[in-house]
Amino acid sequence: MEGFNHSGVSEFVLLGLTDSPELQIFFFVMFSVFYLLTMLGNCLILLTVLCTPHLHSPMYFLLSNLSLIDMCLSSFATPKMIMDFFAEHKTISFEGCISQIFFLHLFTGTEIVLLISMSFDRYIAICKPLHYSTIMSQRVCVGLVVTSWTVGFLHTMSQLAFTLCLPFCGPNVVDSFFCDLPLVIQLACIDIYVLGIFMISTSGVIALVSFLLLLTSYVIVLVTIKDHSSTGSSKVFSTCTAHFLVVLMFFGPCIFIYVWPFTNFLVDKVLSVFYTIFTPFLNPLIYTLRNQEMKTAVKKKLSNQYLNLGKTSPRYPVQ
């Protein structure tokens, strides 16, 4: 990577979320708890799906992959942000900065395609139930996941190919808690406004189109349920509303940040927190733990682990 960095910049300075010592302590505790719960929740869901035979269905296969991506998305920058709250100098190497950009666009691009795949799965299950097992075969499910990762990889490589060719020769202050593409390329020594707008806005347009596709699929599902069932429509409406709120929390910040990439607003930091920390935390709660079948499987898994622990623990005779 050093061969691409035709510059004298070896590291970047991250300004973080705040300079206030009191707020830094508060954010340290809050984000540490959020990160720990995110990892535990998604890991529990992933293991439950893998170890429960009756959950080996297309919907739960896609949900388990969502949990995997959420663990990755919450880990590319959050641990460093948490450690930087007590660091006097918040810096990151040039290679580390490029790595954050790579993983950010890889995981977000993959999650966008996976969310579309999940909405397609629900559309087939509700609108074409007789053909569900035929359409959503194991090969199709694996193909959707592979396509998600492939699209994410191609997307992030297209962004990096542009970034690595830029010279960085002086300014190195990034006004965020991680390296994001719109903030980093503004530090280049050449005028990249027009080309930068085109490259970065492409990500915003992709997010916007994907969001509209998801919105359309939810509307079609709700209309179908309303026409065929009056008793279950309220439950499905509640579920779809919860799903849509999480989708909005993920896509909203991406669309806002990347459609207008070179407008520095204070709210950009808040929006970055939403899709890198809060959304991975909420996805397990909304997509799986609200599902009765999933909750039953999780409780059974935990109870079995507790019973096994009780059987293996040493027992001492009463004196």
Side-chain angles (χ1 to χ4, degrees), residues 8 27 32 78 98-99 102 112-113 119 154 174 179 182 189 235 252 267 274 283 292 297:
F27 285 149
S32 296
T78 305
I98 295 299
S99 297
F102 172 82
I112 285 175
V113 180
S119 69
L154 293 176
V174 179
C179 288
C189 301
K235 181 180 179 180
V267 73
F274 268 88
N283 275 345
Q292 186 60 44

Side-chain angles (χ1 to χ4, degrees), residues 7-235:
S7 67
V9 174
S10 60
E11 65 180 16
F12 292 94
V13 178
L14 302 174
L15 295 184
L17 293 176
T18 180
D19 293 329
S20 170
E22 293 79 10
L23 284 178
Q24 286 186 355
I25 296 175
F26 171 74
F27 285 149
F28 171 80
V29 175
M30 182 179 70
F31 290 130
S32 296
V33 171
F34 268 100
Y35 179 69
L36 180 62
L37 292 178
T38 297
M39 298 302 290
L40 289 176
N42 283 291
C43 187
L44 177 62
I45 290 166
L46 185 60
L47 292 176
T48 301
V49 173
L50 290 175
C51 300
T52 308
H54 74 272
L55 294 182
H56 294 172
S57 63
M59 180 179 73
Y60 293 110
F61 175 73
L62 295 175
L63 285 173
S64 63
N65 278 275
L66 179 66
S67 292
L68 176 62
I69 296 175
D70 282 335
M71 286 193 292
C72 296
L73 182 59
S74 62
S75 299
F76 88 97
T78 305
K80 176 170 175 53
M81 177 192 68
I82 292 173
M83 292 186 294
D84 280 348
F85 282 127
F86 294 110
E88 185 176 353
H89 301 289
K90 301 177 177 63
T91 60
I92 185 171
S93 66
F94 180 87
E95 291 79 9
C97 185
I98 295 299
S99 297
Q100 284 193 341
I101 294 175
F102 172 82
F103 287 118
L104 171 64
H105 286 270
L106 172 64
F107 298 141
T108 53
T110 302
E111 181 157 338
I112 285 175
V113 180
L114 187 63
L115 288 173
I116 295 175
S117 301
M118 292 168 61
S119 69
F120 174 74
D121 171 73
R122 291 300 83 202
Y123 167 78
I124 298 298
I126 294 174
C127 300
K128 299 180 183 295
L130 299 179
H131 303 284
Y132 179 75
S133 58
T134 303
I135 298 175
M136 297 301 297
S137 63
Q138 183 179 8
R139 179 180 296 181
V140 171
C141 292
V142 173
L144 289 173
V145 173
V146 172
T147 300
S148 300
W149 283 100
T150 302
V151 172
F153 178 77
L154 293 176
H155 168 68
T156 193
M157 289 305 296
S158 68
Q159 303 296 309
L160 280 189
F162 166 68
T163 307
L164 289 174
C165 293
L166 298 175
F168 297 91
C169 55
N172 66 338
V173 178
V174 179
D175 189 14
S176 184
F177 60 93
F178 67 93
C179 288
D180 202 358
L181 191 60
L183 299 175
V184 172
I185 68 171
Q186 291 184 70
L187 304 177
C189 301
I190 60 174
D191 185 9
I192 46 83
Y193 185 81
V194 176
L195 184 58
I197 283 286
F198 173 76
M199 288 296 300
I200 301 175
S201 295
T202 302
S203 300
V205 171
I206 292 173
L208 179 60
V209 172
S210 302
F211 175 75
L212 293 176
L213 286 174
L214 285 168
L215 177 61
T216 303
S217 69
Y218 283 128
V219 171
I220 293 174
V221 167
L222 290 175
V223 170
T224 303
I225 288 295
K226 184 178 180 181
D227 292 340
H228 289 81
S229 173
S230 58
T231 56
S233 58
S234 60
K235 181 180 179 180

